[in-house]
């Protein structure tokens, strides 16, 4: 926290694997306004920590890339994060990394709302969760309903999510991906 306060020109902060947990996120969150990249992979963060982070994201910030892989945010944390991003006029997230976070269908449904409303999210990484066919269908439906011109999302990584081949193909088609991408999605 002191580093962030003492170096206002710091744009990229990588804290992966530091065991920050929810308390560390609570201390860190008020100081992220100037960052463009925040890497919080593998820090044992739960939905409580995402609540603290969400509060910071609702305030003026310049965050473009957020890494949260390998935490324990689950559906509740994703719901909290997406609510914060949707309510913030300062939502500039372009890349969101959420792999291996125990996210299931409910989290995917929350993320589908974010995809629909967000005008900056280009990459969404969800690999290694368990969104299943219902979560994948929620994502596919929102992508299919959006006109190509209004959709900003270009890359969606959903391998190892127990969704099945049929809905994986539907997702690929919704994103205008070629068939080689389909093979890695289920």
């Amino acid at each position: 926290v002191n580093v962030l306060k003492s170096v206002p020109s710091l744009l990229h902060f990588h804290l992966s694997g530091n065991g920050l947990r929810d308390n560390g996120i609570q201390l860190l969150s008020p100081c992220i306004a100037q960052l463009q990249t925040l890497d919080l992979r593998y820090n044992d963060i739960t939905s409580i920590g995402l609540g603290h982070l969400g509060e910071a994201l609702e305030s003026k910030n310049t965050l473009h890339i957020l890494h949260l892989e390998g935490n324990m945010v689950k559906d509740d944390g994703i719901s909290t994060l997406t609510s914060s991003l949707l309510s913030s006029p300062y939502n500039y997230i372009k890349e969101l990394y959420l792999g291996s976070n125990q996210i299931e269908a409910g989290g995917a449904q929350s993320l589908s709302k974010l995809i629909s409303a967000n005008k900056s999210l280009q990459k969404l990484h969800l690999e290694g969760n368990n969104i299943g066919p219902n979560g994948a269908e929620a994502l596919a439906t929102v992508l299919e309903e959006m006109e190509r011109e209004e959709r900003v999302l270009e890359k969606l990584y959903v391998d190892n999510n127990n969704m099945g081949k049929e809905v994986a193909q539907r997702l690929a088609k919704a994103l205008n991906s070629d068939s080689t991408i389909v093979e890695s999605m289920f």
Side-chain angles (χ1 to χ4, degrees):
V1 173
N2 291 334
V3 170
L4 283 172
K5 289 180 179 177
S6 65
V7 185
S9 62
L10 184 67
L11 300 177
H12 310 282
F13 206 37
H14 299 269
L15 292 167
S16 61
N18 278 291
L20 295 175
R21 295 187 170 77
D22 297 332
N23 291 338
I25 300 305
Q26 183 177 14
L27 294 172
L28 175 70
S29 291
C31 305
I32 68 166
Q34 82 269 15
L35 296 177
Q36 291 180 4
T37 303
L38 180 58
D39 185 345
L40 298 173
R41 288 180 277 189
Y42 306 102
N43 273 297
D44 300 322
I45 302 167
T46 70
S47 61
I48 295 168
L50 277 192
H52 300 306
L53 185 60
E55 289 173 14
L57 292 173
E58 289 176 15
S59 302
K60 188 172 183 180
N61 72 81
T62 58
L63 197 63
H64 294 291
I65 301 170
L66 179 58
H67 290 271
L68 291 167
E69 302 103 308
N71 286 292
M72 302 171 289
V73 300
K74 302 183 180 180
D75 289 355
D76 289 345
I78 295 303
S79 177
T80 300
L81 179 65
T82 56
S83 292
S84 295
L85 291 173
L86 288 170
S87 68
S88 174
Y90 307 105
N91 178 3
Y92 303 112
I93 298 285
K94 292 181 180 181
E95 298 179 24
L96 187 54
Y97 296 82
L98 298 170
S100 301
N101 265 298
Q102 303 169 17
I103 300 168
E104 296 182 349
Q109 290 167 353
S110 294
L111 288 166
S112 69
K113 294 174 189 169
L114 181 65
I115 291 168
S116 177
N118 185 286
K119 301 304 176 204
S120 60
L121 185 64
Q122 298 170 355
K123 294 181 184 178
L124 178 58
H125 294 255
L126 290 173
E127 64 275 10
N129 286 294
N130 191 26
I131 66 170
N134 291 338
E137 284 184 21
L139 295 170
T141 298
V142 75
L143 291 169
E144 291 166 346
E145 290 174 353
M146 295 176 77
E147 296 293 326
R148 179 65 190 128
E149 303 81 42
E150 67 183 8
R151 186 177 62 230
V152 178
L153 188 69
E154 298 170 355
K155 307 264 186 215
L156 177 62
Y157 299 89
V158 293
D159 51 316
N160 299 316
N161 264 289
N162 301 313
M163 68 179 75
K165 186 174 183 176
E166 186 177 309
V167 72
Q169 289 172 327
R170 190 173 155 206
L171 269 173
K173 184 177 179 185
L175 277 171
N176 297 322
S177 299
D178 62 26
S179 59
T180 58
I181 294 174
V182 173
E183 297 303 319
S184 68
M185 286 185 151
F186 55 91

